[in-house]
Amino acid sequence: MNKISYKTYLNDRLKQVDFHGQLTHPLYVQVTFDRKTIFFKSYYFELFSKARYLLDIPPLKPKGPELKDVIAKETDVIDFIIEKHKNDFSLEVFKKDYTYFSQDLCDATESGFLDYMYTFFRDEGIPSMGDLIKYNGRNVVAHDLMRDLKKILNKALYDKLVENSYHYSPPYLPLYGFMEQTKKWPTLCLTVMEWDNIETVKAFKEYVELHYPNMKSTQLIGQVNNQSNYRRKDV
């Protein structure tokens, strides 16, 4: 097989952007194979640029992920894809698999979960809470929001919010809870690449059976697989 080379670089042809208080050019990826080269924006640069990845706990100085964290994630997924296709590599196959395997399943399911929360509170006659979540919830971690809601909602309403999510939202809650238990900030994500490992699925099954005994673990695993496969159709 012809040699494959790649690198990450700051694209100084583009305007600088804010990366958690640091002005920087966007991070890009370059991959070369068979005398052809492709360039594209780093998925993890976009992901970890989101406001919800910034830790802002007064009086401490706000702190966000660093570029080295982004580059490490890029290296992991690129090496994974190259190894996966060591006998049938092409730039077209690489870009398709990069788009698919780099995806954070927590990020992919969070938006649908917030939409569910919006509908839930409107149906419960608390529309302002639904609007607050819909229009301002994108900058906070939905799992953290649920942790706070548990403190302020009455138990019956909170339990209904969780229970209904099993039926009317993507499997965000168990996914994020599992991920948070196994990862450390700042790289709080669970990628399709990681989910592709049977050991990850087994560990998730054990987590669900311990923390969500009212849910069938195999059903939740199926929902995650469906979410993953559905998104692959968009690649």
Side-chain angles (χ1 to χ4, degrees), residues 102-117:
S102 60
Q103 294 174 90
D104 172 23
L105 287 167
C106 294
D107 184 69
T109 55
E110 185 176 46
S111 179
F113 181 73
L114 289 170
D115 289 342
Y116 155 73
M117 292 179 72

Side-chain angles (χ1 to χ4, degrees), residues 6 28 31-32 83 85-86 91-92 123 134 144-145 153 161-162 171 173-174 190 194 203:
Y6 69 87
Y28 267 62
V31 182
T32 300
E83 178 63 22
H85 292 287
K86 57 186 177 183
L91 292 178
E92 292 76 16
D123 289 347
K134 180 175 182 177
D144 293 345
L145 177 59
L153 298 180
L161 174 63
V162 173
L173 278 181
L190 178 64
E194 294 166 314

Side-chain angles (χ1 to χ4, degrees), residues 43-103:
Y43 168 79
Y44 294 108
F45 183 83
E46 287 284 281
L47 178 68
F48 293 127
S49 292
K50 294 184 177 184
R52 58 191 177 86
Y53 280 96
L54 181 67
L55 283 181
D56 189 3
I57 307 174
L60 301 178
K61 181 180 178 181
K63 181 175 176 58
E66 299 179 14
L67 286 174
K68 64 180 179 62
D69 302 312
V70 178
I71 294 171
K73 294 297 293 182
E74 290 294 346
T75 300
D76 285 346
V77 72
I78 292 171
D79 287 344
F80 169 81
I81 296 169
I82 290 175
E83 178 63 22
K84 184 178 180 68
H85 292 287
K86 57 186 177 183
N87 295 321
D88 63 344
F89 187 88
S90 72
L91 292 178
E92 292 76 16
V93 166
F94 171 84
K95 190 58 173 68
K96 185 175 182 179
D97 269 15
Y98 172 89
T99 303
Y100 175 66
F101 284 108
S102 60
Q103 294 174 90

Side-chain angles (χ1 to χ4, degrees), residues 89-229:
F89 187 88
S90 72
L91 292 178
E92 292 76 16
V93 166
F94 171 84
K95 190 58 173 68
K96 185 175 182 179
D97 269 15
Y98 172 89
T99 303
Y100 175 66
F101 284 108
S102 60
Q103 294 174 90
D104 172 23
L105 287 167
C106 294
D107 184 69
T109 55
E110 185 176 46
S111 179
F113 181 73
L114 289 170
D115 289 342
Y116 155 73
M117 292 179 72
Y118 166 74
T119 302
F120 176 86
F121 282 111
R122 292 192 70 86
D123 289 347
E124 290 296 317
I126 319 174
S128 294
M129 175 66 81
D131 290 342
L132 185 65
I133 290 170
K134 180 175 182 177
Y135 298 111
N136 297 282
R138 310 293 169 174
N139 291 331
V140 299
V141 177
H143 198 268
D144 293 345
L145 177 59
M146 286 293 292
R147 191 175 287 130
D148 286 348
L149 286 174
K150 187 175 184 179
K151 300 175 183 177
I152 61 176
L153 298 180
N154 67 63
K155 186 177 185 304
L157 184 60
Y158 178 81
D159 288 348
K160 184 177 181 181
L161 174 63
V162 173
E163 179 69 26
N164 284 8
S165 74
Y166 301 153
H167 309 289
Y168 303 113
S169 85
Y172 168 78
L173 278 181
L175 268 177
Y176 195 94
F178 168 71
M179 178 280 299
E180 190 178 45
Q181 179 178 278
T182 58
K183 299 292 187 68
K184 293 183 179 180
W185 185 89
T187 52
L188 291 177
C189 65
L190 178 64
T191 65
V192 174
M193 177 186 73
E194 294 166 314
W195 183 257
D196 196 54
N197 187 323
I198 188 62
E199 295 304 318
T200 301
V201 178
K202 287 181 179 178
F204 177 74
K205 185 176 186 295
E206 293 174 359
Y207 172 85
V208 169
E209 290 171 353
L210 178 62
H211 295 278
Y212 294 88
N214 294 330
M215 277 297 293
K216 292 182 179 179
S217 58
T218 52
Q219 181 178 339
L220 275 176
I221 291 170
Q223 289 178 8
V224 178
N225 289 335
N226 289 339
Q227 178 75 29
S228 174
N229 292 330

